[in-house]
Amino acid sequence: EPEVTQTPSHQVTQMGQEVILRCVPISNHLYFYWYRQILGQKVEFLVSFYNNEISEKSEIFDDQFSVERPDGSNFTLKIRSTKLEDSAMYFCASRETSGRAQETQYFGPGTRLLVL
Amino acid sequence: RKEVEQDPGPFNVPEGATVAFNCTYSNSASQSFFWYRQDCRKEPKLLMSVYSSGNEDGRFTAQLNRASQYISLLIRDSKLSDSATYLCGMGDSWGKLQFGAGTQVVVTP
């Protein structure tokens, strides 16, 4: 069964450093998403991406965040200057669109980011 | 008021028993509704979509009440493997999901 993959599974970084989280969505999917989950809290939407541009973003997704689809397979989330509060599990998700609202969104296994 | 609210639990359920819980939402423009299951420190995995007419998948039954703005999940004949956190998710037209904080279910032998 096709699945969303993410690398790395864990990343430890120093405050102020840049990190890039990588995702490979399911190959025929057209919508891509990033979510995060701070330990003990709910899963929060960050950004959605379609047709090589951001379609929607949350208040969390400020100027420190950016997304890119550099080639036909990868989808990346960059945090330019990490803060302590960026420590969280980051999930990538993708969705094949057939126009049905009830389309399933598939999540990757996540990258656990720890900012020290 | 939170956009999506769930009873955090835990719901302690004897094996073989039935458990049910709800999720309320405030955005009446929500277009799609889902139940996801999340195991500790893992990604959410789709359990089932929720349709207006209600739907069943094996031991799981989901209902949607648009008038009162809630969805429900019922688990029959609970198994030990059903122990998890159950997240409700509401989707908009772009597919963005808003999740509740989750309901923890603990099935005991």
Side-chain angles (χ1 to χ4, degrees):
Chain A
E1 183 178 314
E3 56 186 21
V4 178
T5 59
Q6 290 186 244
T7 54
S9 59
H10 295 79
Q11 176 134 13
V12 180
T13 190
Q14 296 289 325
M15 193 170 59
Q17 295 296 304
E18 175 183 286
V19 295
I20 297 176
L21 310 183
R22 290 182 169 79
C23 168
V24 180
I26 295 172
S27 63
N28 63 334
H29 285 192
L30 300 179
Y31 282 84
F32 314 114
Y33 307 85
W34 283 102
Y35 295 82
R36 78 170 186 192
Q37 186 174 32
I38 295 170
L39 190 63
Q41 298 186 24
K42 66 178 183 178
V43 177
E44 301 175 290
F45 168 78
L46 292 178
V47 66
S48 59
F49 192 85
Y50 171 71
N51 201 25
N52 283 320
E53 59 183 26
I54 291 173
S55 48
E56 196 171 1
K57 61 183 181 179
S58 72
E59 292 175 356
I60 303 167
F61 194 89
D62 62 21
D63 292 344
Q64 293 300 311
F65 291 88
S66 62
V67 289
E68 198 177 35
R69 188 154 162 84
D71 54 42
S73 60
N74 289 286
F75 179 50
T76 61
L77 175 69
K78 182 192 291 186
I79 310 175
R80 287 190 185 81
S81 178
T82 50
K83 306 183 187 68
L84 296 176
E85 54 265 36
D86 294 327
S87 295
M89 179 75 101
Y90 288 81
F91 294 110
C92 173
S94 72
R95 182 172 76 113
E96 174 190 22
T97 180
S98 62
R100 293 183 298 116
Q102 288 291 143
E103 242 164 51
T104 300
Q105 209 167 119
Y106 294 91
F107 284 75
T111 293
R112 185 167 297 282
L113 176 66
L114 177 60
V115 182
L116 301 176
Chain B
R1 182 184 172 186
K2 291 181 186 174
E3 296 205 41
V4 183
E5 289 201 65
Q6 294 185 251
D7 183 338
F11 284 69
N12 294 298
V13 186
E15 201 173 0
T18 295
V19 62
F21 41 88
N22 293 340
C23 167
T24 59
Y25 62 96
S26 60
N27 184 0
S28 58
S30 296
Q31 296 194 11
S32 52
F33 306 88
F34 304 91
W35 282 106
Y36 278 79
R37 170 195 169 123
Q38 186 176 34
D39 294 295
C40 189
R41 295 176 174 260
K42 300 281 190 179
E43 75 273 26
K45 291 193 174 177
L46 181 71
L47 182 66
M48 57 199 301
S49 301
V50 188
Y51 300 102
S52 298
S53 54
N55 46 300
E56 192 174 299
D57 183 1
R59 298 180 293 107
F60 298 87
T61 301
Q63 297 276 355
L64 165 63
N65 186 316
R66 283 190 185 269
S68 300
Q69 296 188 193
Y70 73 87
I71 64 172
S72 64
L73 181 67
L74 182 146
I75 308 173
R76 285 186 301 277
D77 187 24
S78 298
K79 311 288 184 197
L80 295 176
S81 56
D82 294 333
S83 296
T85 297
Y86 291 84
L87 311 180
C88 59
M90 314 298 169
D92 69 6
S93 57
W94 287 105
K96 175 188 85 175
L97 289 174
Q98 284 189 300
F99 286 100
T103 295
Q104 186 183 8
V105 172
V106 179
V107 182
T108 55

